[in-house]
Amino acid sequence: MTSQNIKTYLRTLGKNPEYTDLFNQVTQLNKMQQMLTASAVIPAHLNKHCQLGQITHGRLTLLAENASVAAKLKHISPSLLQKIQNLGWQITAIKIMVQKPGHASSTAVSHQGKTLHFKKTKISNTGVECLNRLARTLPDSELKNSIQRLLKNHV
């Protein structure tokens, strides 16, 4: 599936009222991630070992790879909060959580001279069921083939 087709599909899906909140939250997290990376709010040596969680009721969750990173993030969280607020974000608290082992695995891909890291995530049983149901309802297409490949590679 081409990136243009994916963008069109996601744009259409984003207009569905059932997915509006999800897409808004994803957009907000992407903007926050770009801001954190561009402004170096989180020191680089820690940024490599944490990722954004959700933002709920003004509270940002940071997910640390291990307890050591979590402790360091907790130690600097007051200054992180101040820096994030100074950048215009309506965040009132930062919650630090340690990710479960196995959730922090990543795949590195080289693209245009840069190494990009992608977090490997596990799809829940409900997610697998929903994707299987979606694939069965779709006509033969690149999207259907992509979903089937995703499910095949997931197992």
Side-chain angles (χ1 to χ4, degrees):
M1 173 176 279
T2 66
S3 63
Q4 186 62 33
N5 289 343
I6 291 171
K7 287 178 185 175
T8 301
Y9 174 75
L10 290 175
R11 220 176 293 121
T12 303
L13 193 59
K15 293 177 184 175
N16 183 326
E18 292 180 38
Y19 297 101
T20 303
D21 289 340
L22 174 64
F23 276 83
N24 288 340
Q25 190 168 31
V26 168
T27 301
Q28 186 179 26
L29 285 173
N30 281 332
K31 286 179 184 176
M32 173 75 73
Q33 182 66 53
Q34 290 170 358
M35 179 273 308
L36 289 174
T37 302
S39 63
V41 169
I42 299 174
H45 69 282
L46 293 175
N47 198 20
K48 292 186 283 188
H49 303 287
C50 69
Q51 66 182 26
L52 292 180
Q54 60 186 12
I55 301 172
T56 48
H57 307 295
R59 184 175 62 190
L60 169 65
T61 302
L62 292 177
L63 304 170
E65 275 184 11
N66 56 52
S68 175
V69 173
K72 291 174 185 172
L73 287 170
K74 284 181 183 177
H75 180 72
I76 64 169
S77 63
S79 67
L80 292 178
L81 179 60
Q82 186 65 47
K83 289 175 184 177
I84 290 170
Q85 289 172 337
N86 289 344
L87 290 168
W89 287 86
Q90 300 296 317
I91 301 297
T92 56
I94 295 178
K95 180 179 179 180
I96 312 294
M97 296 181 68
V98 178
Q99 290 180 317
K100 293 180 183 176
H103 286 263
S105 61
S106 66
T107 302
V109 176
S110 183
H111 176 69
Q112 296 179 348
K114 294 181 180 177
T115 302
L116 306 173
H117 294 275
F118 296 94
K119 303 283 184 194
K120 274 189 155 182
T121 56
K122 183 172 177 6
I123 302 173
S124 68
N125 291 337
T126 304
V128 170
E129 289 172 19
C130 289
L131 287 170
N132 272 318
R133 220 174 318 132
L134 174 62
R136 285 192 300 270
T137 64
L138 292 171
D140 287 340
S141 63
E142 287 185 55
L143 175 60
K144 182 175 185 171
N145 293 338
S146 295
I147 292 172
Q148 289 172 333
R149 262 192 321 274
L150 171 73
L151 292 169
K152 180 182 170 189
N153 292 333
H154 177 273
V155 178

